[in-house]
Amino acid sequence: MGSSLFWFENWTSLGALYFATPPNFVCDESIQNIYDVVSDGQWDEEKIREILPEEFATHILHNIKPPRVQDILDKPVWTLETSGEFSVKSAWEYLRSRKDPRNAFKMIWAKGLPFKISFFMWKVWRNKLPLDDFFRRLGYLMASKCWCCTNPMEETRQHVFFTSYAAKTVWSYFLNHAGIGVEGITFHQAVVKCWTAKVIPRLQPIMPALPSIIIWELWKRHNSYKYGESVTINRVIYQIYSTIQAVIKYRKPGLIHVPYKWPEQIDLLENYMPKLNVTKVI
């Protein structure tokens, strides 16, 4: 029925006319509601052109239908949702400043990888884990002890996830089989090598997920030792096998029997050709 406030509500999609018009423009306060400029179901063109600058009057007359129903109050509509209902998600997407995603974060959120592992890897990459070196950066100086070693050293991200004996053994096992050397490189470089390794197309979906899976299982072992439960390195490797197997099954649903050992998984993917998409040249 045109009950919206003429000057103060966004019924034109140009914003509230009181604020959208030029600063030196004087609003006619005798016009309160939209129905004040409607006559017999049509816009009162003369009045609209009299009270508004030309470009605003033209926009209303040419682009907006006048209210025709007499007994139904105007209803606000949230234009960022097709349903017209407000949602915090759409408001946040509208307000926030988005940047192009970094390549690292594209790799972290690998398709088929459990959310908890991807989220944990994101925290590791941002160096936000509650390790002793993290608390030292916050200004808390204390004795540091790594729980993952028989001869404890300082608890740092580099040590827990790459330079400790268990971490070295696990990384060497998986990366050496994939043709990637681990000698003389840092934790950061090892992860990036997995992400950027030039492997056959069938291995590309799996390699970006490998560092996250290794780091997740090393973290679980670290916490088990911290709270009195020992976990062997072979157990860690077995758990990594199982998660990789699940990722392969998710990414390659055409594979029926997926071996659980990493070398055999690599061989399978290297030799795998989907039967429905194979063209043989003789």
Side-chain angles (χ1 to χ4, degrees):
M1 61 182 289
S3 60
S4 298
L5 298 176
F6 184 87
W7 296 107
F8 297 101
E9 295 191 275
N10 183 28
W11 60 277
T12 64
S13 298
L14 299 174
L17 293 174
Y18 183 86
F19 301 103
T21 51
N24 59 349
F25 180 79
V26 179
C27 296
D28 185 346
E29 296 183 2
S30 66
I31 304 298
Q32 297 291 323
N33 304 93
I34 297 174
Y35 54 64
D36 290 333
V37 293
V38 176
S39 177
D40 297 326
Q42 300 295 326
W43 292 121
D44 188 334
E45 182 174 351
E46 183 179 352
K47 184 178 288 187
I48 288 177
R49 294 193 181 279
E50 178 184 339
I51 64 174
L52 284 173
E54 180 62 28
E55 63 272 20
F56 290 91
T58 301
H59 172 77
I60 293 171
L61 294 170
H62 290 177
N63 300 302
I64 300 176
K65 293 181 179 180
R68 298 178 184 274
V69 181
Q70 300 301 315
D71 57 351
I72 300 178
L73 293 173
D74 295 356
K75 178 184 177 181
V77 173
W78 183 251
T79 57
L80 298 180
E81 290 281 7
T82 55
S83 66
E85 299 293 332
F86 172 80
S87 71
V88 174
K89 177 183 177 182
S90 61
W92 170 243
E93 291 293 337
Y94 176 75
L95 290 173
R96 72 172 175 161
S97 176
R98 301 192 67 175
K99 297 180 180 178
D100 293 333
R102 298 180 183 178
N103 288 331
F105 297 142
K106 290 181 180 179
M107 297 297 183
I108 287 172
W109 301 100
K111 186 177 180 181
L113 199 60
F115 174 81
K116 61 183 179 181
I117 297 180
S118 294
F119 182 71
F120 177 75
M121 183 61 179
W122 176 81
K123 291 178 69 176
V124 172
W125 199 248
R126 296 291 302 274
N127 210 4
K128 299 295 184 181
L129 286 186
L131 298 171
D132 291 347
D133 60 340
F134 172 77
F135 290 116
R136 186 173 63 248
R137 293 199 309 273
L138 297 179
Y140 296 97
L141 301 179
M142 55 187 179
S144 178
K145 174 187 176 182
C146 175
W147 295 92
C148 60
C149 303
T150 53
N151 296 316
M153 299 182 65
E154 183 182 9
E155 187 184 62
T156 65
R157 182 180 67 166
Q158 177 80 4
H159 176 73
V160 172
F161 295 116
F162 196 68
T163 59
S164 66
Y165 175 76
K168 275 185 179 179
T169 304
V170 173
W171 279 101
S172 297
Y173 178 83
F174 284 94
L175 266 62
N176 287 342
H177 279 104
I180 301 174
V182 296
E183 293 299 325
I185 62 176
T186 65
F187 166 72
H188 182 274
Q189 290 170 335
V191 174
V192 172
K193 277 181 175 288
C194 289
W195 287 345
T196 59
K198 293 182 178 180
V199 294
I200 61 172
R202 298 182 192 94
L203 269 176
Q204 286 176 355
I206 309 302
M207 287 303 295
L210 179 62
S212 299
I213 299 170
I214 292 175
I215 290 166
W216 172 253
E217 293 301 333
L218 289 173
W219 179 247
K220 287 168 58 180
R221 179 181 183 274
H222 167 275
N223 291 340
S224 295
Y225 269 88
K226 186 174 182 177
Y227 295 104
E229 182 183 349
S230 62
V231 177
T232 65
I233 296 175
N234 286 337
R235 179 64 183 175
V236 173
I237 291 175
Y238 173 81
Q239 293 292 349
I240 296 171
Y241 283 156
S242 300
T243 306
I244 293 174
Q245 185 184 46
V247 173
I248 292 174
K249 287 181 178 179
Y250 181 88
R251 297 300 298 264
K252 305 290 183 182
L255 291 174
I256 300 174
H257 301 293
V258 179
Y260 76 91
K261 289 190 176 182
W262 175 240
E264 296 171 6
Q265 291 167 350
I266 292 178
D267 292 340
L268 176 69
L269 289 171
E270 286 179 341
N271 298 320
Y272 169 63
M273 291 191 303
K275 295 181 179 179
L276 296 179
N277 297 315
V278 170
T279 300
K280 292 185 177 180
V281 179
I282 301 176

